[in-house]
Amino acid sequence: MENTLTTPFRKFLPSEPKIVLETSLRHDIDDVIAQLLPRASLAIVDDRNTAEAYGEHIFKALSGKHRCTRITFNTSPHADDKTAQHIITRAEPCDALIAVGSGTINDLCKYVSHKQGKPYIAIPTAASMNGYLSANASISFNGYKKTTPVHMPMAVLCDMGVINAAPARLNKSGFGDSMARSTAQADWLLSHLICGTAYDESVFTPLLAIEEELLASAKGIRLADPHVLKLLMQTLLLSGLGMTAAKGSYPASQGEHMIAHAYNMHLEHTGTALNTLHGEEIAVTALAMANRQEALLNIDPIFADRIFPEARIKELFGEHVATEAKTAYGAKREMIKNREIVNWQGIAQQISKVTIAPQRMQSVLNEAGCQTFYGALGWQQDTYINISSAARFLRERFTFLDLI
């Protein structure tokens, strides 16, 4: 039982989720869920891959004690409003949702359960992302990806046997996602020091206590070492708790996520499909942001052009995204309109203390077997350059993307 992970965050949490990390839960999963949700009717949500990994077993195990509705997607679903509406309709008669999977399944279930005012339980099938315990979901509305406030799961049940057996690519993706701690913290602190926005270093303390061991053991990700994968899972859970404590995704999602989300919005606008995982994208964009941050910390930067390039944003992302982005960027421009960069050397010294140097980030990503070059994702050079320069206009957060 791993509820000690929540101890440093208790004063921040609206409720304390149950966290279980066990070598195997296959024989006990029905009893654990029955204790949490006695006599509840359940909507079990999975997809073709996670059903094979664990969803089928869970459905059979729970059907003896609960009335169960099975919602299985034949392909990998998209975390968008249309898919969410499908789950809303199917889950309407149920008392609670069980999310069997990782990123997309988890985001959809936390969003739907929040909309319906129902509890949900997350059952990861891989250590592939850090959102299991965050009180926010990334959902695309008409092509525009938003971070939406939701509620936490009542429990996260980690069967490490299932997670250890996941395709290596998925756990590498989780390691890539974990690299955003460094770049996101640097961006969040930058915004605080220049714009006066809120910042709470304490949400990183529990995570940093094990991050160094994880980085030092990075090759264990590639080798599927059970000890290292448990470290990774704990790191990802702590990252999610940090986001909930911060009342937003600020500690784990800044410039690196803005670039990745922007590229995906462009792909959706152009009708292009690529077989990439979220954490694979973040490994690439976090390294790019780490290099950008290091370069800017060693010069005297200025604010980038603050005029919203409406025509270019429409061309890259479409009319609806441009409309949403104009509002978001307008809020940021209002926030920074009278700001100046004062004592940059002092600011740079503070930020440098919280970062992972890009050379080390490159090294540990290589050891873990992660991709670090945008071309390996199928991203095109000219498009990537354009997207990277346009991403800052899509969100209200002030990051190193707003400096040159």
Side-chain angles (χ1 to χ4, degrees):
M1 299 297 174
E2 296 284 342
N3 260 29
T4 54
L5 290 176
T6 62
T7 301
F9 299 98
R10 279 176 181 158
K11 66 180 180 180
F12 299 109
L13 303 180
S15 60
E16 188 171 358
K18 184 181 186 67
I19 302 174
V20 177
L21 283 90
E22 293 288 347
T23 303
S24 176
L25 286 171
R26 284 189 175 272
H27 299 301
D28 304 318
I29 195 75
D30 54 337
D31 291 333
V32 174
I33 291 176
Q35 290 174 11
L36 293 165
L37 293 167
R39 297 180 297 280
S41 60
L42 306 175
I44 300 171
V45 185
D46 55 16
D47 63 27
R48 178 179 58 193
N49 294 322
T50 64
E52 182 178 346
Y54 211 21
E56 185 67 29
H57 172 81
I58 289 171
F59 176 71
K60 290 178 179 178
L62 296 181
S63 293
K65 296 182 178 179
H66 302 267
R67 187 171 71 254
C68 296
T69 297
R70 185 85 181 276
I71 306 172
T72 299
F73 293 92
N74 290 327
T75 58
S76 297
H78 295 288
D80 56 31
D81 48 346
K82 293 180 181 179
T83 308
Q85 186 56 51
H86 173 74
I87 299 174
I88 288 171
T89 301
R90 293 286 312 280
E92 182 61 37
C94 301
D95 301 315
L97 287 82
I98 308 291
V100 186
S102 52
T104 299
I105 293 291
N106 193 57
D107 274 339
L108 287 165
C109 286
K110 68 167 72 174
Y111 175 75
V112 169
S113 67
H114 182 73
K115 290 277 287 185
Q116 294 186 322
K118 299 173 180 177
Y120 88 101
I121 292 173
I123 304 180
T125 52
S128 59
M129 61 97 199
N130 65 355
Y132 294 112
L133 284 168
S134 67
N136 48 265
S138 292
I139 302 292
S140 180
F141 297 88
N142 196 18
Y144 183 68
K145 188 174 284 290
K146 293 183 179 181
T147 300
T148 306
V150 292
H151 58 213
M152 299 176 75
M154 68 182 304
V156 179
L157 309 179
C158 303
D159 185 323
M160 292 308 300
V162 172
I163 291 168
N164 293 343
R169 183 184 177 194
L170 295 176
N171 294 326
K172 290 177 186 177
S173 173
F175 187 77
D177 205 16
S178 75
M179 290 298 101
R181 192 284 306 162
S182 170
T183 53
Q185 186 173 1
D187 277 340
W188 196 26
L189 181 54
L190 174 79
S191 181
H192 171 67
L193 295 173
I194 291 183
C195 303
T197 52
Y199 173 77
D200 185 355
E201 191 170 47
S202 71
V203 303
F204 297 103
T205 304
L207 177 60
L208 292 172
I210 64 171
E211 182 183 85
E212 183 56 38
E213 184 180 358
L214 177 64
L215 297 181
S217 308
K219 68 179 180 181
I221 302 296
R222 175 171 44 84
L223 300 174
D225 181 292
H227 172 71
V228 179
L229 292 182
K230 186 173 182 179
L231 275 178
L232 174 61
M233 195 71 225
Q234 290 171 325
T235 298
L236 298 173
L237 294 174
L238 286 167
S239 179
L241 286 166
M243 286 188 267
T244 299
K247 295 182 171 57
S249 60
Y250 315 103
S253 176
Q254 296 281 349
E256 72 295 316
H257 277 71
M258 291 162 68
I259 297 171
H261 288 164
Y263 206 104
N264 280 291
M265 283 189 271
H266 173 73
L267 293 176
E268 185 168 347
H269 172 59
T270 58
T272 306
L274 293 176
N275 181 28
T276 57
L277 300 174
H278 170 73
E280 292 175 327
E281 296 165 359
I282 300 306
V284 170
T285 58
L287 182 59
M289 280 300 296
N291 279 298
R292 181 184 183 90
Q293 288 168 350
E294 183 179 69
L296 289 170
L297 288 171
N298 286 292
I299 64 171
D300 290 318
I302 61 173
F303 288 104
D305 184 4
R306 305 178 203 188
I307 299 173
F308 183 75
E310 189 164 358
R312 182 157 68 100
I313 299 300
K314 285 181 180 178
E315 180 183 357
L316 286 170
F317 307 109
E319 187 85 31
H320 176 72
V321 171
T323 300
E324 295 279 356
K326 191 172 185 179
T327 300
Y329 186 71
K332 175 161 59 176
R333 188 166 58 186
E334 184 68 21
M335 178 178 69
I336 64 176
K337 68 178 182 180
N338 295 319
R339 302 287 178 176
E340 296 180 1
I341 301 175
V342 179
N343 185 24
W344 179 251
Q345 184 176 5
I347 290 173
Q349 286 177 349
Q350 289 188 64
I351 294 175
S352 294
K353 292 177 182 178
V354 307
T355 62
I356 299 171
Q359 298 82 0
R360 188 178 189 206
M361 188 179 292
Q362 174 84 62
S363 176
V364 297
L365 285 168
N366 288 344
E367 288 179 15
C370 299
Q371 301 288 357
T372 59
F373 176 59
Y374 61 82
L377 304 177
W379 291 0
Q380 301 301 309
Q381 182 178 26
D382 289 347
T383 305
Y384 176 72
I385 293 170
N386 286 332
I387 293 295
S388 296
S389 65
R392 67 188 179 91
F393 295 106
L394 304 186
R395 295 285 298 276
E396 75 286 355
R397 293 182 186 178
F398 182 80
T399 74
F400 275 86
L401 294 174
D402 293 292
L403 300 178
I404 56 173

